[in-house]
Amino acid sequence: GAVVSQHPSRVICKSGTSVKIECRSLDFQATTMFWYRQFPKQSLMLMATSNEGSKATYEQGVEKDKFLINHASLTLSTLTVTSAHPEDSSFYICSATRDFSYEQYFGPGTRLTVT
Amino acid sequence: SQQGEEDPQALSIQEGENATMNCSYKTSINNLQWYRQNSGRGLVHLILIRSNEREKHSGRLRVTLDTSKKSSSLLITASRAADTASYFCATEETSGSRLTFGEGTQLTVNP
């Protein structure tokens, strides 16, 4: 299989604090990982694309200084939401692809609530 | 309007009936994919259809693609209550591997 995990599955934090979300490919090496955000009853919006060892490519309108992405190894990417605000509350989903494969394998998502 | 629009936004049917969801897109694509998402969960890949294919089947799923109309449909036959979920189409554009998701169809199958 191709399993992607995310940790934590749920997190509640106070406004102004930072939160780190991990995305791991458990049984394959992920050359590329994607981070998406999904608001309630809406579709997934791509935030950024990250390749191992290089800087992430952010989508238009996504603040790179607020959403820090690190893809330090072929099995781990992290998304840090810095100085979180209530409007950052959302469902964050990562996905990963293997070499020479079109298919994205999605993690189970992380529900972030900022109070 | 954006890439990957879907209709209907919501669909409610009885068990045993067929469910049809449609997706339209705007740019040239390598492939179009359909995903399922249960409430508050991650996405499950259902089926992929390449730009040079017109129809594909997988179990109770049938997907069609009309590149001239830039549209696709997902048919779920003999629906079950367990099929209740949101269904999203996603296009992989020819310009790269990123996926652009549609707005989704919320399917409710009543027992």
Side-chain angles (χ1 to χ4, degrees):
Chain A
V3 180
V4 176
S5 70
Q6 281 184 242
H7 177 80
S9 57
R10 288 178 176 270
V11 57
I12 301 172
C13 71
K14 293 190 175 180
S15 192
T17 61
S18 294
V19 174
K20 180 185 284 189
I21 302 169
E22 292 186 350
C23 176
R24 292 182 186 272
S25 56
L26 297 186
D27 52 1
F28 67 99
Q29 293 188 326
T31 50
T32 304
M33 286 185 167
F34 303 85
W35 285 96
Y36 296 85
R37 181 167 51 183
Q38 184 181 32
F39 291 108
K41 298 191 184 304
Q42 294 188 24
S43 187
L44 279 73
M45 297 299 294
L46 181 65
M47 299 175 67
T49 303
S50 75
N51 293 294
E52 184 262 340
S54 60
K55 288 184 179 179
T57 302
Y58 289 81
E59 294 298 301
Q60 194 171 6
V62 177
E63 300 174 57
K64 60 179 68 174
D65 293 332
K66 180 168 183 61
F67 299 99
L68 302 179
I69 292 173
N70 186 291
H71 192 164
S73 78
L74 283 171
T75 59
L76 173 65
S77 176
T78 61
L79 167 68
T80 302
V81 182
T82 62
S83 187
H85 290 283
E87 56 265 32
D88 297 325
S89 297
S90 188
F91 194 52
Y92 291 87
I93 305 176
C94 73
S95 69
T97 60
R98 299 193 262 211
D99 262 344
F100 312 117
S101 173
Y102 58 81
E103 188 167 350
Q104 292 188 24
Y105 302 97
F106 284 83
T110 297
R111 173 77 57 196
L112 170 63
T113 303
V114 184
T115 60
Chain B
S1 54
Q2 58 185 14
Q3 182 89 331
E5 294 185 358
E6 292 181 62
D7 76 271
Q9 289 188 336
L11 180 61
S12 181
I13 59 174
Q14 296 299 122
E15 247 185 343
E17 295 180 340
N18 296 341
T20 300
M21 290 159 265
N22 302 296
C23 169
S24 62
Y25 58 92
K26 293 184 181 301
T27 63
S28 295
I29 63 172
N30 287 330
N31 60 70
L32 185 145
Q33 304 174 37
W34 285 91
Y35 289 84
R36 167 199 168 116
Q37 183 182 35
N38 285 57
S39 180
R41 307 291 295 273
L43 271 72
V44 174
H45 184 263
L46 295 177
I47 197 167
L48 176 148
I49 187 164
R50 300 183 195 282
S51 59
N52 62 353
E53 297 176 311
R54 292 296 165 259
E55 187 171 312
K56 205 160 183 181
H57 297 253
S58 176
R60 293 185 294 114
L61 306 180
R62 173 177 169 255
V63 169
T64 62
L65 179 64
D66 186 335
T67 52
S68 66
K69 294 181 180 177
K70 290 186 164 56
S71 67
S72 173
S73 68
L74 170 67
L75 168 67
I76 303 174
T77 60
S79 63
R80 306 166 182 167
D83 294 330
T84 295
S86 292
Y87 292 82
F88 294 92
C89 68
T91 52
E92 181 188 288
E93 299 171 22
T94 54
S95 56
S97 61
R98 59 195 292 273
L99 291 179
T100 302
F101 282 82
E103 297 299 315
T105 294
Q106 172 61 51
L107 173 66
T108 302
V109 182
N110 301 299

